[in-house]
Every structure is written in structure tokens, then in C-alpha cells.
Amino acid sequence: MQTDTPAASRTPVAVPVPEPGAPRRGRPRSEAAEQAIFAAVEQLMEEGVGLAELSIERVAAQAGVGKATIYRRWPNMEALLVDVVARLEAPAPQLTGGTVREELVGMVEYMRKRGLAKRSRWVLKSALGQMNDWPELRATYQERVVKPRRELVRTIVRRGIDEGVLRADLDMELVCEVVIGPILLRSILWDDAPLDDPDLARQMIDAVLNGVGAGPSGGECH
């Protein structure tokens, strides 16, 4: 009859110990590397390095990672920069299922806060400003970041037309521009225009609904 080997006489199993500085496998290490890369780009920009001066080699050295670590995640510097700029901005708002007016107010409020962030965060303002000199980078940013926001506005406006809240006799794109145009004008073109009023989004949407709302009182305005 066999008996278990006493614990004291068992041969210990050798557990490999990683060498100091050796890369670890797994999700936590991957996330840590990405955060280090993002932080490196932001730090370089805070030090005054322009987008044209950034390179994979320079970012890798700043982040303390190998170039291959960056290339496994981004095919080139442009793709990395788009993710960095998108990360600097707040995530686009999600539809809540509220009324059309509430959804529109939420969208404009998001743009108001984005405008404030751009003014207060030099890195974000600098990145967005320099992007205009990079046509391919700007086009990628427009496709991945700006276009989804525009589609979100279209979704809300389309629902407003379908529900009879917004006038159906106007071109839908025109209605979208009328709805979102005032906050874009104030937050992007007029850098000195006030954005501090937390009630600004509601005021803007109610003013617009009085003009394009399906009823004389602006549909859901009151």
C-alpha cells in the first residue's frame, strides 16, 4: 500500500524567477506599457516638442520601452498620435434614452466641456492646432473621432424628426448644423467666448428648438 510522501521529503518544484527588468507577459504589463507610451508623448509635447519632431524612437526612449512594443500596437506615429489626442479628450457622450431635447442638451454640454478642456489643457490645444499641418493625420482624426460625434448628432436629430419634435420640411444636415453650430462657434472659433455657464447648453437648445421645433413653442422646449 502506497503512502503519500511526507511534505518535508518532497522535492521542491523550481519556480522560474524573471530577471530584473525582463518583460512580463499578460494584460497588466500590456496596459502598463500603453500608459507609459501615452504619458511619454504627452510629456514630450509639454516640453515643447512639436508633432513633426516626434518619432517612434524618441517616444520609445521616453517611455522606457522598445520600438517593437510601440509597433505592435500602432503601425506608425500618426496612428499613435490620433490615439493620444483622442485620449486627451473626454469620451463622446452616450445616448441615454431620454427626450430628444435632453439628448441634444447632453450633446451640447459635452461640447461645452470639451471647449473648456481645450482652453485649460495646453497639450490638447497644441495637438489639435498642429494637426491642421498634417493632412493625413487630420483626416484620420476626422474619421475616427469627429465623424462618430457628427453621426451621434444626426441620430438624435433624425429621431426628433421621426417623433415630430423637429420640423421635417428642413434638410436634416441643416438642422444638425443649426443645433451644434452655436457651441462649435463659441468653443472653437471664438476662443474668448464664455463657456463657464453650466446652463449654456440648455439655453442654446431651447433657443434652437424655438426656431426649428415642430410646434410654435419649440416642441419639447417647455
Side-chain angles (χ1 to χ4, degrees), residues 161 167-175 178 211-213:
I161 293 174
R167 288 170 53 182
D169 61 315
L170 297 176
D171 177 74
M172 190 184 75
E173 291 300 317
L174 175 61
V175 176
V178 169
V212 299

Side-chain angles (χ1 to χ4, degrees), residues 24 27 89 91 93 108 115-116 139 147 174 185 208 214:
R24 299 179 181 178
R27 186 176 180 83
E89 299 192 26
V108 173
L116 286 172
K147 187 176 179 180
L174 175 61
L185 182 69
V208 170

Side-chain angles (χ1 to χ4, degrees), residues 101-171:
R101 174 179 175 275
E102 290 169 345
E103 299 283 24
L104 291 174
V105 169
M107 189 69 201
V108 173
E109 174 64 6
Y110 162 78
M111 296 303 297
R112 183 186 74 86
K113 290 181 178 178
R114 178 180 179 271
L116 286 172
K118 180 184 174 184
R119 293 179 184 180
S120 63
R121 300 194 65 181
W122 180 88
V123 173
L124 177 58
K125 184 173 183 177
S126 175
L128 292 174
Q130 295 181 64
M131 196 177 293
N132 291 327
D133 297 328
W134 290 41
E136 293 184 4
L137 178 59
R138 185 174 184 275
T140 303
Y141 179 78
Q142 291 280 329
E143 182 67 25
R144 290 183 50 190
V145 180
V146 177
K147 187 176 179 180
R149 293 174 185 163
R150 288 179 177 172
E151 186 54 40
L152 185 60
V153 176
R154 291 190 185 99
T155 299
I156 301 171
V157 169
R158 191 179 297 115
R159 177 190 159 196
I161 293 174
D162 292 342
E163 293 182 1
V165 175
L166 301 174
R167 288 170 53 182
D169 61 315
L170 297 176
D171 177 74

Side-chain angles (χ1 to χ4, degrees), residues 55 60 189:
S55 65
L189 296 181

Side-chain angles (χ1 to χ4, degrees), residues 36-54:
I37 293 166
F38 286 139
V41 176
E42 293 180 37
Q43 181 62 38
L44 288 169
M45 292 188 66
E46 287 178 357
E47 295 172 358
V49 178
L51 296 184
E53 302 172 276
L54 290 173

Side-chain angles (χ1 to χ4, degrees), residues 1-5:
M1 178 178 178
Q2 291 184 331
T3 60
D4 292 337
T5 303

